[in-house]
Amino acid sequence: MIRKFTSGSPVETGAVTLALQAENMLDFPFVNSFESGEFTFCFSMRDGDIVYGLGESVRGINKRGWIYESYCSDDPFHTESKRSLYAAHNFIMLSGSADFAVFVDCPARVRWDIGYTKTDETKITICSADFDVYLITGGKPPELVREFRAAIGKSYVPPFWAFGYQQSRWSYHNAEAVDRVIEGYNRANIPLDCVYLDIDYMQSFKDFTVNEAAFPDFKSYVFAKRKQGIHLIPIIDAGIKKEDGYDVYDEGIKNGYFCKNADGTVFEAGVWPGVCAFPDFLRPEVRSWFGSKYQYLLDMGIDGFWNDMNEPALFYSAKGIGEALDEAVEAKGKNLDLGGFFHIKDVFTGLSNRQEDYSSIYHSIDGRLVNHQSVHNIYGAGMTRAAGDYFAEVCGEEKILMFSRASYVGAHRTAGIWFGDNHSWWSHILMNLKMLPSANMCGFLYCGADLGGFNDNATRDLVLRFLALGVFTPLMRNHSALGTRDQECCNFEKTEDFRDVIEVRYRLIPYLYGIFKKARDQNDMIFRPLSFDYPSDKIARECETQLMLGDDCMIAPVYEQNASGRTVYLPEDMRLLKLSGRRVESIELQKGLHYIDVALNEVPLFVKKGKKIPLCQPALRTRDLDVDNLEYV
């Protein structure tokens, strides 16, 4: 059962598609209070209770013991000390002494103190007086998730080829660089379906342009790659370069499509191209206009995109950098002591994503000006909706790959997500794994992390172990940053190990695509905590390094360096499948703890007793997979 409680006049976020009659806040069943424009409510927890949810966030599957914030943030340092990442997924669920779920539909900042201040209490603070809260009761966690998912609408489904292996880097700066990647994978006989184009494919980092010196005759080039079975996936950013004569900027200025300052002038901040304006994606006519701009690249044969920098990320504002330079001038010639030096340092390092700058942005909603802080968390979702709605109208369903960095519940209907700029750290393999069920709860089925890690230098074994988890994630993309080690699979020694792992992915694609579509159609999850299936098993309830996959399988990746295997807990008798290229080894195991050896070129998969999964023969491209002749193992 779902109950809806409304306070004030909430902004329409589009998160919930189910029509419900709102109840009076006086009947809200939790202890609550309004103070200084914020609404707080609490519920108690007992020892052994688990709190699930919050989608893309740090720490564990069980969210107890920390304070989280829903505030879409451009922050590449995904450490345990952080409270927010790129997304705002305002769904949590208590399991144990009571079973219920809560969804806070509010695009302003929301704080979740889950047993941090008081170990036996969850305290939720909504930084607004205008919101909807949904309370879901009447079942155990799997049923509660399905009811929530039914209320927020069906998840996005990408094209079939988007389940193939994808290679990205900031940046393959010209056609020759892209060709070297494709040729490297072809020489190593490693499957590949997509190559990504980061900001350098653009002319001066301007959206919906192509650098013709780097990619001459881009349309012919795109179609030539398509003939090879390779899809090129360009990036689109939220900021529009301020430049007279640039058609996108000129149209936005002429029609008043950009976000404003309080005085009605256009809000400006620096990002990749320098000073930019930012489309007001909360307005339907702006979304329609911006979505239509993708046609420029669609006409060139592009059939996939990734939206980035849409929290929105702000490198600096004119006001902020002016104040910083004034401070520097004032400090010139002074003998700076400890406090003086760190003050100047903090002024410049604090230029990016300043709260003062976000607070100076205004949107137009139904003819009234609304401060950005009231709607911050749906800005990126609005950008994604602009593209997704246009693609659905012009291209039809399941034709265009689209995923985004920033997101809010509701965006799951038009796009997938990736988990942002992670690091080449072993701990981020587990962080990726723990985000998967939480993202699925919120409707984001097409998701994944930057395999191998985006920031820092990856080691060969880290990339292989990351890939062995990525074999199972719908989005399987290797992505790395400028200035880091080349981590394309074809650039390491013994490329046959990488081929073995990625061929496992291609053999599993019919199975993975099937469980994806089933999860979408039945409002279910692809990845589940073990506790969902084995709620009375204490070890399973506390396990955070293994996940259930579909109805019949369990995954348990190796996540430590120099480890030749790992300990795995089986909550029932299962078969261990060791998958490597075309090879399959099957080992019967009984319920309990087992240490399993896993070579770097092997992918472990556990299958429930009496169940079998389909495998096809691998191919270099998804288009060449024979999905009609399957082997069941």
Side-chain angles (χ1 to χ4, degrees), residues 378-454:
I378 55 172
Y379 184 81
M383 179 185 179
T384 299
R385 182 178 176 184
D389 287 351
Y390 184 78
F391 297 151
E393 177 186 349
V394 173
C395 306
E397 301 291 338
E398 302 180 31
K399 300 296 184 183
I400 304 295
L401 170 61
M402 163 57 67
F403 59 93
S404 173
R405 191 168 76 175
S407 61
Y408 186 87
V409 173
H412 70 284
R413 297 193 298 272
T414 53
I417 55 173
W418 95 100
F419 298 144
D421 298 342
N422 62 356
H423 279 68
S424 297
W425 298 341
W426 287 87
S427 62
H428 278 191
I429 296 178
L430 271 188
M431 179 176 283
N432 180 6
L433 178 136
K434 293 175 183 181
M435 286 182 185
L436 291 168
S438 301
N440 279 191
M441 291 175 197
C442 297
F444 292 97
L445 299 183
Y446 191 78
C447 59
D450 288 344
L451 301 176
F454 178 72

Side-chain angles (χ1 to χ4, degrees), residues 98-117:
D99 295 282
F100 62 84
V102 171
F103 174 56
V104 175
D105 192 5
C106 177
R109 188 189 303 265
V110 181
R111 288 192 297 273
W112 313 80
D113 183 340
I114 306 177
Y116 177 79
T117 301

Side-chain angles (χ1 to χ4, degrees), residues 318-330:
K319 179 182 178 182
I321 204 164
E323 292 173 351
L325 291 172
D326 288 343
E327 293 258 16
V329 169
E330 185 178 343

Side-chain angles (χ1 to χ4, degrees), residues 292-574:
S292 70
K293 292 300 170 186
Y294 287 82
Q295 190 64 48
Y296 170 77
L297 291 165
L298 292 173
D299 287 342
M300 294 187 177
I302 294 296
D303 54 1
F305 301 87
W306 49 314
N307 283 351
D308 196 10
M309 305 291 285
N310 52 351
E311 294 74 30
L314 309 175
F315 289 172
Y316 63 87
S317 67
K319 179 182 178 182
I321 204 164
E323 292 173 351
L325 291 172
D326 288 343
E327 293 258 16
V329 169
E330 185 178 343
K332 185 177 180 180
K334 290 185 178 179
N335 183 2
L336 297 178
D337 60 10
L338 177 69
F341 166 74
F342 279 102
H343 172 71
I344 290 294
K345 179 176 179 288
D346 291 344
V347 165
F348 280 90
T349 57
L351 281 173
S352 296
N353 306 314
R354 296 194 320 163
Q355 288 301 303
E356 301 97 309
D357 293 331
Y358 287 128
S359 296
S360 68
I361 303 173
Y362 283 83
H363 302 267
S364 177
I365 300 178
D366 298 328
R368 60 190 176 94
L369 283 181
V370 175
N371 186 267
H372 178 79
Q373 296 286 25
S374 300
V375 294
H376 173 81
N377 288 331
I378 55 172
Y379 184 81
M383 179 185 179
T384 299
R385 182 178 176 184
D389 287 351
Y390 184 78
F391 297 151
E393 177 186 349
V394 173
C395 306
E397 301 291 338
E398 302 180 31
K399 300 296 184 183
I400 304 295
L401 170 61
M402 163 57 67
F403 59 93
S404 173
R405 191 168 76 175
S407 61
Y408 186 87
V409 173
H412 70 284
R413 297 193 298 272
T414 53
I417 55 173
W418 95 100
F419 298 144
D421 298 342
N422 62 356
H423 279 68
S424 297
W425 298 341
W426 287 87
S427 62
H428 278 191
I429 296 178
L430 271 188
M431 179 176 283
N432 180 6
L433 178 136
K434 293 175 183 181
M435 286 182 185
L436 291 168
S438 301
N440 279 191
M441 291 175 197
C442 297
F444 292 97
L445 299 183
Y446 191 78
C447 59
D450 288 344
L451 301 176
F454 178 72
N455 294 291
D456 290 334
N457 293 313
T459 60
R460 179 179 183 274
D461 55 344
L462 174 67
V463 176
L464 281 163
R465 294 303 196 194
F466 236 129
L467 289 171
L469 171 59
V471 158
F472 301 106
T473 61
L475 171 61
M476 187 186 187
R477 183 179 75 146
N478 177 335
H479 185 39
S480 57
L482 184 72
T484 64
R485 179 183 190 179
D486 292 340
Q487 64 185 47
E488 294 82 6
C489 299
C490 55
N491 286 327
F492 288 102
E493 60 184 324
K494 298 181 181 178
T495 57
E496 61 270 20
D497 287 348
F498 293 87
R499 180 174 64 246
D500 285 342
V501 172
I502 295 175
E503 281 189 345
V504 170
R505 165 60 168 227
Y506 279 68
R507 298 201 72 189
L508 284 167
I509 283 177
Y511 171 68
L512 296 173
Y513 186 75
I515 63 175
F516 183 101
K517 292 294 289 286
K518 182 178 180 182
R520 189 257 189 186
D521 293 343
Q522 298 183 2
N523 298 314
D524 213 337
M525 300 163 64
I526 301 169
F527 302 98
R528 298 182 308 284
L530 270 61
S531 55
F532 276 40
D533 290 41
Y534 308 97
S536 300
D537 186 325
K538 189 174 189 297
I539 298 177
R541 279 182 64 81
E542 296 182 358
C543 179
E544 297 221 342
T545 65
Q546 305 168 204
L547 293 176
M548 304 307 298
L549 172 71
D551 293 333
D552 303 326
C553 296
M554 183 181 76
I555 61 173
V558 177
Y559 55 88
E560 293 180 311
Q561 189 166 26
N562 301 318
S564 59
R566 60 161 292 174
T567 300
V568 176
Y569 175 67
L570 303 187
E572 62 174 281
D573 294 351
M574 292 184 175

Side-chain angles (χ1 to χ4, degrees), residues 116-134:
Y116 177 79
T117 301
K118 295 179 66 176
T119 57
D120 62 350
E121 180 183 80
T122 288
K123 182 178 182 180
I124 301 167
T125 302
I126 305 172
C127 299
S128 174
D130 303 305
F131 56 83
D132 292 315
V133 177
Y134 295 82

